[in-house]
Amino acid sequence: MTTLELFFDLVFVFAFTQVTQLMANDPSVQGALRGLVLLALLWFAWCSYAWLGNQAHADEGVVRVTMVVALGTMFVVALTIPESFVDLPGGLFAPLVLAACYAVVRLVHLACYLIAAGDDVGLRHQLLLTAIPVGAACALLVIGGALGPPYQTGLWALALVVDYVGIWVAGTSGWRLTAPVHFAERHGLIVLVALGESMVAIGVGVARQPIPWAVIGASVFGIAVAVSLWWLYFDVVAHVAEGVLAQASGEQRSRLARDSYTYLHFPIVISIIFIALSLKKVLEYVSNTGDHDLTDPLTGVPLVALFGGVTVHLLGHVAFRHRNTGTWNPHRTVVAVVLAALIPVAWQLPALASLGLVAALLSGLVGYEAMKFRVARDEVRHHNADGPKEA
């Protein structure tokens, strides 16, 4: 992994923070859907460059120049996120700027990939095939950005459908994945980036507010949630998946990489951003006693983002494991179902209690897995990265 790739990811730290703030300013269903559309756009942009960096060294030649151009253009995309659906007067029309810059990021990526493909006919054919849905999606984004509301959201959502479905239909026969460990590590890093956003949300939620005991308690619960999410992914899951990907070869490896990382990591990563939104809101509830009482419940989108976000995250793990090993994870499935079922109950609980409940369930899940699968865990982590699949 190169330092330029790490530098590239810092732009997505900023972008994720911008989306979280956008949803926090409009904690409605509409705000959540807009946030989801933006996150889906950011995700495929990041994934595109993760594949490119696996084909050729990211810090050499034309790939380096492309990464720098994409980095700067994505920063402009991130800057326009607060105005992505409601443009402010006095400047450029932000929705169009975002769409145009995003199109540049995706199209420059394809052009660079064609150069990096060299004389690999199969890869060049795959890229030209992929360019069809990417080009159509970019066109829909630019048209939607130019028209603005009320057509914008629908056209951008349609662009995502064209992009995600089109790339899936295009298949994997021409893709090459020469460095599976690098690829797995890149996706592990973006999970860390999302988790970092959850930590930032905890701090931002209490900025410029007094720090009473309730804030300390909420912070501890929030950290427990973030650490649990880190543990559930990096303790064993990441090691096993990396080993399975390394053992595969040819098109089987490319297909596995597409399924497990490009698509199944989407709910794993994006759910963390929604969880970060809920952490930010809980901290605002317990710190701003002028607007909220400690007995006030967390309701609406923030509550669903907390319980539903963790549910989606755990089910993403379940699907990820099944794609890699062909087995199911019953205990994570059970906890996910319990969290979803608790949403109506939590609607009546104080916000701090709701967060504490989620933290307790996740911490209990981590403790259960650490004890029940301690032997398998030790084998995977210290002896055989593609060994036992029980954990």
Side-chain angles (χ1 to χ4, degrees):
M1 192 181 303
T2 66
T3 55
L4 181 55
E5 288 172 301
L6 297 175
F7 191 24
F8 182 76
D9 288 354
L10 293 179
V11 177
F12 287 85
V13 175
F14 176 46
F16 286 161
T17 303
Q18 291 280 76
V19 176
T20 303
Q21 187 60 50
L22 177 75
M23 293 190 293
N25 291 338
D26 180 17
S28 65
V29 173
Q30 176 180 263
L33 290 175
R34 287 175 171 177
L36 182 60
V37 167
L38 291 169
L39 289 171
L41 290 173
L42 293 174
W43 176 248
F44 249 29
W46 183 88
C47 286
S48 299
Y49 283 85
W51 280 89
L52 175 61
N54 201 265
Q55 175 67 24
H57 290 291
D59 59 350
E60 298 289 344
V62 68
V63 182
R64 170 184 280 200
V65 175
T66 301
M67 292 283 287
V68 170
V69 169
L71 185 155
T73 311
M74 278 304 303
F75 189 80
V76 177
V77 170
L79 282 176
T80 59
I81 284 174
E83 300 179 62
S84 54
F85 291 92
V86 181
D87 182 62
L88 298 178
L92 298 174
F93 190 58
L96 180 56
V97 173
L98 186 152
C101 288
Y102 183 85
V104 168
V105 170
R106 296 295 300 278
L107 296 176
V108 165
H109 161 265
L110 284 175
C112 180
Y113 219 139
L114 279 168
I115 296 172
D119 57 358
D120 188 332
V121 177
L123 178 55
R124 292 178 68 86
H125 175 76
Q126 183 73 61
L127 287 164
L128 292 173
L129 192 62
T130 301
I132 298 172
V134 171
C138 288
L140 287 168
L141 285 169
V142 172
I143 293 171
L147 292 176
Y151 308 103
Q152 177 186 346
T153 304
L155 285 170
W156 283 14
L158 179 59
L160 288 173
V161 172
V162 170
D163 202 4
Y164 277 63
V165 174
I167 288 179
W168 178 277
V169 172
T172 57
S173 60
W175 294 118
R176 312 288 184 247
L177 195 76
T178 58
V181 173
H182 168 271
F183 194 75
E185 288 178 346
R186 289 290 291 129
H187 285 77
L189 184 61
I190 201 66
V191 172
L192 276 178
V193 165
L195 287 171
E197 165 55 17
S198 69
M199 304 288 279
V200 170
I202 295 173
V204 171
V206 296
R208 297 184 298 276
Q209 296 289 346
I211 308 296
W213 282 108
V215 168
I216 300 297
S219 300
V220 170
F221 290 153
I223 295 297
V225 169
V227 170
S228 295
L229 297 179
W230 169 84
W231 188 297
L232 290 169
Y233 182 86
F234 288 101
D235 189 52
V236 172
V237 168
H239 295 280
V240 171
E242 180 183 304
V244 172
L245 186 64
Q247 283 190 333
S249 60
E251 186 182 353
Q252 180 190 22
R253 177 186 287 173
S254 299
R255 189 182 305 114
L256 181 62
R258 179 200 65 180
D259 298 352
S260 289
Y261 289 93
T262 302
Y263 283 87
L264 289 180
H265 265 61
F266 177 71
I268 292 174
V269 172
I270 301 310
S271 60
I272 298 175
I273 307 303
F274 278 88
I275 295 167
L277 166 66
S278 66
L279 295 179
K280 178 180 175 65
K281 283 298 181 182
V282 171
L283 267 295
E284 288 178 359
Y285 269 49
V286 300
S287 63
N288 189 354
T289 54
D291 295 330
H292 298 284
D293 190 85
L294 288 178
T295 60
D296 287 347
L298 190 68
T299 58
V301 167
L303 179 70
V304 175
L306 178 58
F307 283 78
V310 178
T311 296
V312 170
H313 185 84
L314 293 177
L315 292 179
H317 278 243
V318 172
F320 183 46
R321 166 174 160 166
H322 186 265
R323 180 62 182 87
N324 279 281
T325 69
T327 60
W328 297 99
N329 190 313
H331 35 285
R332 295 191 185 186
T333 304
V334 168
V335 174
V337 171
V338 169
L339 282 164
L342 283 173
I343 292 176
V345 177
W347 212 284
Q348 310 300 322
L349 296 177
L352 184 58
S354 292
L355 179 57
L357 181 57
V358 173
L361 284 168
L362 283 176
S363 299
L365 176 61
V366 167
Y368 171 80
E369 290 189 356
M371 292 298 296
K372 184 173 178 61
F373 304 114
R374 59 186 180 277
V375 176
R377 173 185 177 276
D378 181 70
E379 178 70 17
V380 169
R381 288 181 58 81
H382 302 296
H383 301 292
N384 184 13
D386 57 293
K389 309 298 190 295
E390 291 89 343

